Amino acid sequence: QVQLVESGGGLVQPGGSLRLSCAASGSIFSFDAMGWYRQAPGKQRELVAAITSGGILNYADSVKGRFTISRDNAKNTVYLEMNSLKPEDTAVYYCNRPTAQVGWGQGTQVTVSS
C-alpha cells in the first residue's frame, strides 16, 4: 500500500523560508509525476507545484519564482523549497500525484505570520 508522509512545516515570519519533504513508499515514485498541494482554511485544495519523472516543472502563478520543487528518486522523496513566504501561503501542504491521486497523507502545516 502506498503511503505519503509530509514533513518540514512550521511557523515562519513573512519573507522567511521553509523546506518541505515528502517521503513516498510503494512502487509509484520513480515512474510518476509528483506534486505539492495546499489547502487553506475554507478553501479547496490546490496544486501549487509539480515535477515529472523527467524533471519537467510546473508552478501555480501564485508561487512562481518563490517555490522550487525537486525530487530524489533514490530516496523516494520530493521536496518543496519555499522562499519569500507570505501570509497567504498559510495552509496545510500535501504531496500526491497531479492526476490519479493515491491516498492522502496527513499533510504538514505551514503558518506565515509575524
Side-chain angles (χ1 to χ4, degrees):
Q1 184 175 352
V2 173
Q3 285 189 314
L4 300 169
V5 180
E6 301 91 349
S7 62
L11 173 63
V12 63
Q13 292 186 341
S17 299
L18 282 174
R19 188 192 197 206
L20 307 183
S21 298
C22 169
S25 65
S27 62
I28 68 165
F29 192 79
S30 295
F31 306 102
D32 286 80
M34 289 293 292
W36 280 97
Y37 297 75
R38 68 185 180 188
Q39 187 167 21
K43 295 188 177 181
Q44 288 190 333
R45 190 173 293 171
E46 62 171 340
L47 180 65
V48 297
I51 182 168
T52 69
S53 56
I56 297 172
L57 310 177
N58 278 290
Y59 297 97
D61 288 343
S62 58
V63 306
K64 201 171 292 184
R66 300 187 299 120
F67 290 12
T68 302
I69 188 171
S70 61
R71 64 193 291 165
D72 185 336
N73 287 345
K75 295 182 179 180
N76 280 354
T77 302
V78 61
Y79 304 97
L80 187 67
E81 186 78 31
M82 305 187 295
N83 298 312
S84 302
L85 283 161
K86 305 176 181 180
E88 51 263 43
D89 295 318
T90 295
V92 180
Y93 284 71
Y94 304 85
C95 65
N96 212 315
R97 293 169 166 170
T99 58
Q101 289 88 6
V102 297
W104 294 92
Q106 83 287 350
T108 186
Q109 175 71 49
V110 172
T111 303
V112 185
S113 174
S114 55

